[in-house]
Amino acid sequence: MPAPAKKTAAKKTTAARTPARKGAAAPAKPENKLAKLGLHNDMDLALHLPLRYEDETTLMTIGEAAMRGLQTVQVEGVVTKCDVQFRPRRQLIVTVGDDSGQLTMRFLNFYGSQQRQLAEGTRLRVRGELRHGFFGAEMVHPQYKVVNEGAPLPDVLTPVYPAGEGLSQAYLRKAIANALSRLDWHDTLPPSMLETLKLSPFEPAVRLLHNPPPDVDEHALIERSHPAWIRMKFDELLAQQLSLKRAQAARRAKTSRALPVTGRITAELIKVLPFKLTGAQERVLEEIRADLRESFPMQRLLQGDVGSGKTVVAALAAAQAIDSGCQAVLMAPTEILAEQHFRKIAAWMEPLDVGVAWLSGSQKKKEKTEALAHIESGAARLVVGTHALIQDTVQFENLGLVIVDEQHRFGVGQRLALRNKSFNPADPQADAAAVPHQLMMSATPIPRTLAMTYYADLEVSVIDELPPGRSPIVTRVIDQNRRDEVIERVHAAAQEGKQIYWVCPLIEESEALQLQTATDTHAALSAALPDLSIGLVHGRMKPVEKQIVMEGFSRGAIHVLVATTVIEVGVDVPNASLMVIEHAERFGLSQLHQLRGRVGRGSAASVCLLLYQGPLGGTAKQRLATMRETTDGFEIARRDLDIRGPGEFLGARQSGEAMLRFADLATDQWLVEKARDTAQALLQHAPDIVDRHLARWLGGREDFLKV
Ligand code: ADP
Ligand code: MG
């Protein structure tokens, strides 16, 4: 191994702490480790920017350093003593002195080679936090390097890079410095544009970030508000906006069957609905209708808080597809939810002579075969089901519209698989190039900036109004040891004719344990409330069993429904107006919001009791407080984003998130808007700039966006 690696083993504090692991590491090729960090070429390396910096540009005397309080300093001296001590524990004690004083370095873990390297008389440059300890002025695990007398100090700050396992800073620094010396530095943006946008040119910005001069505003560097950072973030966001718009253009170049007709089915469906659409429902429906009339595929996300009435909008979109002579499909993530959609929609549609088919994984073979035949022949105009719909055996006659409920529950691949089923390959007349329109629904509201930057090419419609006559839900946070009072309250509510959900704790580490808890809770409540009928529903029950229980609850025959999180999504029983959630501290915010949304659907005032087991951690406290303070799904999503950050908020499955390394959507919203406007202008007037910019910033990564 060449020199850099050796120097690093000695230089890096962490290396000194974990000698065993380092020592044992197989000598994997450093180039492979670079590739693991996504660093394949010079530009990748140039855009691998430091996390922070170390100031090695100045030296202090040991005497001076000892006078300062606790802070990181760099000193230089000669080793006067180097010993292994065994009390109070085994450690390497090295004394270094200069004309002004002495300093003790302590290493609790060390290599034998280190002891040899630090022999008496060796000159060292030592950097670390100086404290006054048992040995006088001391540094524990400082960084150090062996130097010759009069060795020059660096004149720029030393970058510290994000590094992978076993990849040393020294190796990275060298690789990056080499890359910078070879780089094609052309600016992708013309000077006039930089001037208008008040942006730094590319080369000086990148160079400054790697090797900032000592007088740089270090705070601005760390906060990433320095103009050099702004240029990086802008370029990154611009690349993202450009590729989003390109994806959009590519979608528009595809063909779909236009679904222009709103005829008999639509009109009659509106007539049989037991309510009038809200203004918000009318508005989003108009947006969807306009998309469906086009002969390129719709890709629209319908967002609406829990209970805002997305199902009926979906049904009306399906009606338009059917009126236009195509089939529509609705896929939901759980059996309970899909089944409920099926019942509701079949009850609306079947009297209008529309064939509705049901498809699920647990279906009996005969029923399934029959459903598949109807789907293929086109007798079924609307198909509702779970992800069983994605299977190869499912063949549509002419699918025009795909609707995915609770879309965030599905992976990108699953959604694509359903979309690819638009036609029957056995039919020579079929238009193999046609892609069905796609409507996705979600109750997890995604703040606008996130939607704009994280989702691939997606139009968004928002239902921002609840149906009339809903009364607000009051939420209380209650200590678990007051469970008896809560049971009393459940009893009183049931006697008033209300129905109750009792949600069992989430036990992520063990499904078996979770089932056990649900069964135990059911037994305990049945014993405590002998005059009430208590039902139990959990994920491991057979679908028919689940269905019997859910139906009993819908009819009002069951007073209290003990449930695991299977009821989280979509279940709709308007007479349920009390919800108890046990161990609420274990749930995430959006999950709590979804659960709570099961009540407050009728006109009765609803209550949600969040039982918790103290003591609560910081984020759990924040989550429960948020639930108590607001029922507004958008506000909850916003706070969730604050608590968790965008990556986690959207989950690893979502596209696009791998794209943003530098920009932070919480602070850089203004830049997102700038980038969007610039992207628009460039696409119109300067396609060559677009190509260059995308090549630099995305390389081969554009696929993240093609969803
Ligand atoms: P979500 O948006 O959570 O999927 P649903 O579609 O399940 O909401 O609707 C929630 C409840 O509101 C259902 O009982 C539904 O029938 C009812 N609903 C939907 N739209 C209206 C409306 N315009 N007026 C009154 N009730 C409505
Ligand atoms: Mg729903």
Side-chain angles (χ1 to χ4, degrees), residues 80 282 514 588:
T80 55
E282 295 273 11
Q514 173 145 351

Side-chain angles (χ1 to χ4, degrees), residues 200 309 640 659:
S200 308
D640 202 14
M659 308 229 359

Side-chain angles (χ1 to χ4, degrees), residues 247-268:
Q248 194 168 38
R251 171 165 65 92
R252 286 176 180 245
K254 287 189 189 145
T255 50
S256 275
R257 295 181 190 84
L259 307 172
V261 187
T262 48
R264 180 183 69 88
I265 314 276
T266 305
E268 289 186 17

Side-chain angles (χ1 to χ4, degrees), residues 275-278 281 304-312 341 344 348 405 443 467-468 470 570 572 574 598 601:
F275 46 73
K276 195 172 152 312
L277 295 184
T278 62
Q281 284 170 320
D305 206 349
V306 178
S308 61
K310 295 183 290 293
T311 315
V312 67
H341 282 324
K344 184 172 257 180
W348 286 333
D405 196 12
R470 300 279 168 86
D572 186 31
R598 301 307 110 216
R601 301 195 147 222

Side-chain angles (χ1 to χ4, degrees), residues 83 102 104 149 155 272 381 387 395 445 469 496 531 617 687 698:
D83 275 325
Q102 296 241 318
T104 302
E149 192 165 4
D155 54 7
V272 301
R381 305 312 295 157
H387 29 265
Q395 201 56 254
E496 288 169 29
D531 56 330
L698 289 186

